[in-house]
Amino acid sequence: RHYTEGLLYPWASPNDPLTHEEYTMVLEAEREKLDSSESAPGKLGGHVSDLITGEPKAAALGLEEYMKFDLSAALAHSSKLEAIEAEFKLAEDKTLDDGRTLWWWFDYVKNQPASSTEVRWGARDLGHDGMRLKDFWQTDEATKARLKEEHVMALRLYTCTPVSFALNAPLRNFKRDEHNKVLRPVSMCAEHPFP
């Protein structure tokens, strides 16, 4: 997706395809930007400062510093699954929009058999009743992709539970001006509430 200055964030997820109306809005915003630009139009047109999406100092210090993440502590666990578990344990009481806790969803993915059901984000585990984490890990798709058990765990947490909403929503809560336009440089309204 291409975000333009002053363009509101009209879609629910940056991974969702744009509707015709959203596409038209983005196209019109780009045309206006080109019309007001002193540089030549085209793929490489525009001013270099338009490419800055955050604080250069934060970028220079790296992702670990920006997210306040202690990599050495994460690597101290004997397995990656234990590291994921420790991370969820830090926020185990956090209740999500569906009324369940992060820890409940972690336990469902790690220890419980899959059960297909309709949830507000779609059909969960449809056609996978009774499968456990190891069963998902041993599927042809996971084997061909050479996924490790922790990869499958992370994918299941993100795709079949509301954990993805809890992780992504704070990252989309940008500081805005009185006209509801995202302030530059882009910054979040608050620290991410999860570890």
Side-chain angles (χ1 to χ4, degrees):
R1 292 283 165 93
H2 182 77
Y3 298 90
T4 60
E5 186 173 350
L7 182 65
L8 296 179
Y9 190 65
W11 40 84
S13 166
N15 296 324
D16 293 342
L18 292 175
T19 64
H20 178 71
E21 181 182 331
E22 292 168 341
Y23 176 79
T24 303
M25 187 185 340
V26 170
L27 190 61
E28 287 173 6
E30 284 301 306
R31 284 185 180 140
E32 287 176 21
K33 190 173 179 182
L34 283 174
D35 290 343
S36 66
S37 175
E38 295 177 8
S39 65
K43 184 177 179 181
L44 301 176
H47 193 271
V48 69
S49 66
D50 291 340
L51 300 175
I52 297 174
T53 59
E55 295 289 334
K57 180 180 177 185
L61 293 174
L63 192 57
E64 187 177 337
E65 174 63 27
Y66 180 75
M67 295 183 72
K68 306 293 187 239
F69 178 72
D70 184 1
L71 184 60
S72 59
L75 295 176
H77 298 281
S78 59
S79 79
K80 303 285 192 297
L81 283 175
E82 286 180 8
I84 294 171
E85 184 170 349
E87 195 168 334
F88 270 77
K89 198 78 167 150
L90 291 173
E92 69 180 318
D93 295 331
K94 175 65 178 168
T95 302
L96 304 181
D97 290 344
D98 68 343
R100 295 188 169 122
T101 63
L102 275 176
W103 189 253
W104 189 94
W105 283 109
F106 175 85
D107 182 66
Y108 170 76
V109 170
K110 183 178 183 216
N111 301 315
Q112 306 304 318
S115 59
S116 60
T117 187
E118 281 294 320
V119 288
R120 70 177 176 91
W121 61 90
R124 182 192 74 205
D125 286 334
L126 188 62
H128 299 292
D129 282 324
M131 288 181 72
R132 294 187 174 267
L133 180 61
K134 291 222 184 273
D135 299 320
F136 285 101
W137 180 38
Q138 293 170 351
T139 62
D140 287 341
E141 296 88 351
T143 303
K144 285 179 186 174
R146 296 181 181 168
L147 297 179
K148 295 181 180 171
E149 191 174 16
E150 60 267 19
H151 299 145
V152 175
M153 173 81 165
L155 286 167
R156 292 217 7 96
L157 283 167
Y158 195 82
T159 59
C160 77
T161 74
V163 170
S164 62
F165 302 118
L167 292 174
N168 292 338
L171 299 174
R172 295 186 178 121
N173 190 11
F174 301 121
K175 292 182 182 176
R176 297 176 179 271
D177 66 15
E178 64 275 2
H179 303 293
N180 203 29
K181 292 185 179 179
V182 175
L183 295 174
R184 288 190 171 250
V186 175
S187 62
M188 296 188 320
C189 289
E191 291 290 321
H192 200 289
F194 301 110

mmCIF file of all heavy atoms in Angstrom, residues 4 8-9 15 18 40 44 46 51 58 61 63 70 74 76 114 122 137 142 147 152 160 164 175 182 191 194:
data_model
loop_
_atom_site.group_PDB
_atom_site.id
_atom_site.type_symbol
_atom_site.label_atom_id
_atom_site.label_comp_id
_atom_site.label_asym_id
_atom_site.label_seq_id
_atom_site.Cartn_x
_atom_site.Cartn_y
_atom_site.Cartn_z
ATOM 1 N N THR A 4 -0.300 8.267 1.417
ATOM 2 C CA THR A 4 0.008 9.622 0.976
ATOM 3 C C THR A 4 -0.260 10.598 2.101
ATOM 4 O O THR A 4 -1.087 10.349 2.976
ATOM 5 C CB THR A 4 -0.848 10.003 -0.251
ATOM 6 O OG1 THR A 4 -2.221 9.922 0.109
ATOM 7 C CG2 THR A 4 -0.558 9.086 -1.420
ATOM 8 N N LEU A 8 -6.519 9.749 4.846
ATOM 9 C CA LEU A 8 -6.966 9.027 6.019
ATOM 10 C C LEU A 8 -6.738 7.540 5.810
ATOM 11 O O LEU A 8 -6.519 7.080 4.703
ATOM 12 C CB LEU A 8 -8.445 9.292 6.272
ATOM 13 C CG LEU A 8 -8.786 10.735 6.599
ATOM 14 C CD1 LEU A 8 -10.282 10.885 6.813
ATOM 15 C CD2 LEU A 8 -8.038 11.204 7.833
ATOM 16 N N TYR A 9 -6.824 6.800 6.844
ATOM 17 C CA TYR A 9 -6.604 5.359 6.800
ATOM 18 C C TYR A 9 -7.974 4.692 6.702
ATOM 19 O O TYR A 9 -8.553 4.294 7.694
ATOM 20 C CB TYR A 9 -5.870 4.964 8.079
ATOM 21 C CG TYR A 9 -5.344 3.568 8.133
ATOM 22 C CD1 TYR A 9 -4.343 3.156 7.274
ATOM 23 C CD2 TYR A 9 -5.835 2.658 9.047
ATOM 24 C CE1 TYR A 9 -3.839 1.878 7.333
ATOM 25 C CE2 TYR A 9 -5.341 1.373 9.117
ATOM 26 C CZ TYR A 9 -4.342 1.001 8.251
ATOM 27 O OH TYR A 9 -3.838 -0.264 8.315
ATOM 28 N N ASN A 15 -3.634 -5.413 4.627
ATOM 29 C CA ASN A 15 -3.557 -6.608 3.791
ATOM 30 C C ASN A 15 -4.834 -6.852 3.001
ATOM 31 O O ASN A 15 -4.869 -7.704 2.129
ATOM 32 C CB ASN A 15 -3.248 -7.832 4.645
ATOM 33 C CG ASN A 15 -1.889 -7.710 5.288
ATOM 34 O OD1 ASN A 15 -0.974 -7.177 4.692
ATOM 35 N ND2 ASN A 15 -1.770 -8.168 6.503
ATOM 36 N N LEU A 18 -8.072 -3.199 -1.772
ATOM 37 C CA LEU A 18 -8.813 -1.941 -1.806
ATOM 38 C C LEU A 18 -10.118 -2.129 -2.560
ATOM 39 O O LEU A 18 -10.175 -2.844 -3.554
ATOM 40 C CB LEU A 18 -7.994 -0.860 -2.518
ATOM 41 C CG LEU A 18 -6.737 -0.371 -1.828
ATOM 42 C CD1 LEU A 18 -5.996 0.598 -2.733
ATOM 43 C CD2 LEU A 18 -7.062 0.298 -0.527
ATOM 44 N N ALA A 40 9.461 15.989 -11.470
ATOM 45 C CA ALA A 40 8.845 15.320 -12.609
ATOM 46 C C ALA A 40 8.016 14.139 -12.117
ATOM 47 O O ALA A 40 8.402 13.447 -11.192
ATOM 48 C CB ALA A 40 9.929 14.829 -13.558
ATOM 49 N N LEU A 44 9.980 7.656 -9.789
ATOM 50 C CA LEU A 44 11.016 8.232 -8.936
ATOM 51 C C LEU A 44 10.791 9.712 -8.657
ATOM 52 O O LEU A 44 11.668 10.379 -8.133
ATOM 53 C CB LEU A 44 12.394 8.011 -9.574
ATOM 54 C CG LEU A 44 12.758 6.543 -9.806
ATOM 55 C CD1 LEU A 44 14.096 6.436 -10.531
ATOM 56 C CD2 LEU A 44 12.780 5.766 -8.513
ATOM 57 N N GLY A 46 9.093 13.133 -6.904
ATOM 58 C CA GLY A 46 8.812 13.498 -5.524
ATOM 59 C C GLY A 46 10.084 13.866 -4.789
ATOM 60 O O GLY A 46 11.188 13.721 -5.287
ATOM 61 N N LEU A 51 9.816 10.065 1.714
ATOM 62 C CA LEU A 51 10.084 8.664 2.008
ATOM 63 C C LEU A 51 10.278 8.397 3.492
ATOM 64 O O LEU A 51 10.281 7.267 3.921
ATOM 65 C CB LEU A 51 11.324 8.200 1.240
ATOM 66 C CG LEU A 51 11.238 8.301 -0.273
ATOM 67 C CD1 LEU A 51 12.580 7.937 -0.893
ATOM 68 C CD2 LEU A 51 10.146 7.404 -0.805
ATOM 69 N N ALA A 58 15.394 6.564 15.677
ATOM 70 C CA ALA A 58 14.787 5.287 16.038
ATOM 71 C C ALA A 58 15.200 4.204 15.049
ATOM 72 O O ALA A 58 15.490 3.070 15.435
ATOM 73 C CB ALA A 58 13.270 5.410 16.091
ATOM 74 N N LEU A 61 18.852 3.068 15.707
ATOM 75 C CA LEU A 61 19.059 2.259 16.906
ATOM 76 C C LEU A 61 18.574 0.825 16.730
ATOM 77 O O LEU A 61 18.948 -0.055 17.492
ATOM 78 C CB LEU A 61 18.364 2.898 18.112
ATOM 79 C CG LEU A 61 18.958 4.224 18.560
ATOM 80 C CD1 LEU A 61 18.110 4.846 19.656
ATOM 81 C CD2 LEU A 61 20.394 4.044 19.028
ATOM 82 N N LEU A 63 15.371 -2.198 15.553
ATOM 83 C CA LEU A 63 14.050 -2.656 15.962
ATOM 84 C C LEU A 63 14.010 -3.097 17.420
ATOM 85 O O LEU A 63 13.041 -2.842 18.131
ATOM 86 C CB LEU A 63 13.611 -3.806 15.045
ATOM 87 C CG LEU A 63 12.167 -4.235 15.108
ATOM 88 C CD1 LEU A 63 11.238 -3.064 14.805
ATOM 89 C CD2 LEU A 63 11.918 -5.366 14.139
ATOM 90 N N ASP A 70 14.185 -7.219 24.697
ATOM 91 C CA ASP A 70 15.472 -7.745 25.140
ATOM 92 C C ASP A 70 15.705 -9.102 24.479
ATOM 93 O O ASP A 70 15.200 -10.128 24.939
ATOM 94 C CB ASP A 70 15.488 -7.869 26.659
ATOM 95 C CG ASP A 70 16.835 -8.326 27.192
ATOM 96 O OD1 ASP A 70 17.775 -8.531 26.387
ATOM 97 O OD2 ASP A 70 16.951 -8.484 28.418
ATOM 98 N N ALA A 74 15.036 -13.271 25.569
ATOM 99 C CA ALA A 74 14.218 -14.190 24.759
ATOM 100 C C ALA A 74 15.012 -15.429 24.379
ATOM 101 O O ALA A 74 14.479 -16.531 24.343
ATOM 102 C CB ALA A 74 13.709 -13.480 23.517
ATOM 103 N N ALA A 76 17.308 -16.789 26.099
ATOM 104 C CA ALA A 76 17.706 -17.544 27.281
ATOM 105 C C ALA A 76 16.853 -18.794 27.477
ATOM 106 O O ALA A 76 17.241 -19.695 28.208
ATOM 107 C CB ALA A 76 17.605 -16.654 28.519
ATOM 108 N N ALA A 114 -8.104 -28.764 17.989
ATOM 109 C CA ALA A 114 -8.811 -27.747 17.204
ATOM 110 C C ALA A 114 -10.295 -28.089 17.160
ATOM 111 O O ALA A 114 -10.683 -29.259 17.116
ATOM 112 C CB ALA A 114 -8.231 -27.693 15.797
ATOM 113 N N GLY A 122 -14.674 -15.070 11.120
ATOM 114 C CA GLY A 122 -14.829 -16.132 10.129
ATOM 115 C C GLY A 122 -14.966 -17.500 10.773
ATOM 116 O O GLY A 122 -15.322 -17.614 11.941
ATOM 117 N N TRP A 137 1.785 -29.215 12.472
ATOM 118 C CA TRP A 137 3.211 -29.164 12.153
ATOM 119 C C TRP A 137 3.604 -30.274 11.180
ATOM 120 O O TRP A 137 4.509 -30.111 10.363
ATOM 121 C CB TRP A 137 4.011 -29.247 13.450
ATOM 122 C CG TRP A 137 5.488 -29.203 13.304
ATOM 123 C CD1 TRP A 137 6.218 -28.445 12.419
ATOM 124 C CD2 TRP A 137 6.443 -29.919 14.070
ATOM 125 N NE1 TRP A 137 7.561 -28.644 12.601
ATOM 126 C CE2 TRP A 137 7.724 -29.558 13.617
ATOM 127 C CE3 TRP A 137 6.336 -30.831 15.111
ATOM 128 C CZ2 TRP A 137 8.880 -30.071 14.164
ATOM 129 C CZ3 TRP A 137 7.498 -31.326 15.661
ATOM 130 C CH2 TRP A 137 8.760 -30.949 15.190
ATOM 131 N N ALA A 142 3.362 -27.778 5.905
ATOM 132 C CA ALA A 142 4.387 -27.378 6.880
ATOM 133 C C ALA A 142 5.702 -28.104 6.625
ATOM 134 O O ALA A 142 6.784 -27.521 6.753
ATOM 135 C CB ALA A 142 3.891 -27.650 8.298
ATOM 136 N N LEU A 147 8.840 -25.785 8.019
ATOM 137 C CA LEU A 147 8.481 -25.011 9.204
ATOM 138 C C LEU A 147 8.840 -25.788 10.457
ATOM 139 O O LEU A 147 8.738 -27.016 10.495
ATOM 140 C CB LEU A 147 6.980 -24.704 9.207
ATOM 141 C CG LEU A 147 6.458 -23.843 8.073
ATOM 142 C CD1 LEU A 147 4.949 -23.659 8.209
ATOM 143 C CD2 LEU A 147 7.158 -22.488 8.043
ATOM 144 N N VAL A 152 4.784 -22.893 13.274
ATOM 145 C CA VAL A 152 3.381 -23.296 13.167
ATOM 146 C C VAL A 152 2.583 -22.712 14.333
ATOM 147 O O VAL A 152 1.462 -22.234 14.167
ATOM 148 C CB VAL A 152 3.246 -24.829 13.094
ATOM 149 C CG1 VAL A 152 1.792 -25.271 13.109
ATOM 150 C CG2 VAL A 152 3.958 -25.349 11.844
ATOM 151 N N CYS A 160 -5.741 -18.071 13.463
ATOM 152 C CA CYS A 160 -7.007 -18.694 13.873
ATOM 153 C C CYS A 160 -7.521 -18.145 15.198
ATOM 154 O O CYS A 160 -8.477 -18.674 15.754
ATOM 155 C CB CYS A 160 -6.875 -20.216 13.921
ATOM 156 S SG CYS A 160 -6.008 -20.852 15.349
ATOM 157 N N SER A 164 -4.132 -11.669 16.530
ATOM 158 C CA SER A 164 -3.649 -10.746 15.492
ATOM 159 C C SER A 164 -4.261 -9.361 15.653
ATOM 160 O O SER A 164 -3.593 -8.350 15.448
ATOM 161 C CB SER A 164 -3.949 -11.284 14.099
ATOM 162 O OG SER A 164 -5.346 -11.422 13.903
ATOM 163 N N LYS A 175 -1.008 9.147 16.016
ATOM 164 C CA LYS A 175 -1.344 10.490 16.482
ATOM 165 C C LYS A 175 -1.865 11.284 15.297
ATOM 166 O O LYS A 175 -1.316 11.219 14.202
ATOM 167 C CB LYS A 175 -0.118 11.168 17.084
ATOM 168 C CG LYS A 175 0.338 10.528 18.373
ATOM 169 C CD LYS A 175 1.529 11.260 18.956
ATOM 170 C CE LYS A 175 1.999 10.573 20.223
ATOM 171 N NZ LYS A 175 3.198 11.191 20.777
ATOM 172 N N VAL A 182 -3.054 12.158 9.915
ATOM 173 C CA VAL A 182 -1.913 11.583 10.619
ATOM 174 C C VAL A 182 -0.780 12.612 10.667
ATOM 175 O O VAL A 182 -0.422 13.205 9.653
ATOM 176 C CB VAL A 182 -1.443 10.291 9.925
ATOM 177 C CG1 VAL A 182 -0.189 9.750 10.582
ATOM 178 C CG2 VAL A 182 -2.553 9.244 9.956
ATOM 179 N N GLU A 191 2.441 3.440 23.835
ATOM 180 C CA GLU A 191 3.298 2.260 23.738
ATOM 181 C C GLU A 191 2.434 1.045 23.463
ATOM 182 O O GLU A 191 1.279 0.972 23.889
ATOM 183 C CB GLU A 191 4.054 2.052 25.060
ATOM 184 C CG GLU A 191 5.103 3.092 25.352
ATOM 185 C CD GLU A 191 6.302 2.984 24.422
ATOM 186 O OE1 GLU A 191 6.714 1.852 24.101
ATOM 187 O OE2 GLU A 191 6.809 4.043 24.015
ATOM 188 N N PHE A 194 1.371 -4.919 24.625
ATOM 189 C CA PHE A 194 1.814 -6.302 24.785
ATOM 190 C C PHE A 194 3.332 -6.368 24.716
ATOM 191 O O PHE A 194 3.967 -5.531 24.091
ATOM 192 C CB PHE A 194 1.212 -7.184 23.696
ATOM 193 C CG PHE A 194 -0.291 -7.162 23.720
ATOM 194 C CD1 PHE A 194 -1.000 -6.545 22.723
ATOM 195 C CD2 PHE A 194 -0.984 -7.736 24.782
ATOM 196 C CE1 PHE A 194 -2.376 -6.505 22.762
ATOM 197 C CE2 PHE A 194 -2.362 -7.696 24.812
ATOM 198 C CZ PHE A 194 -3.057 -7.081 23.800
#
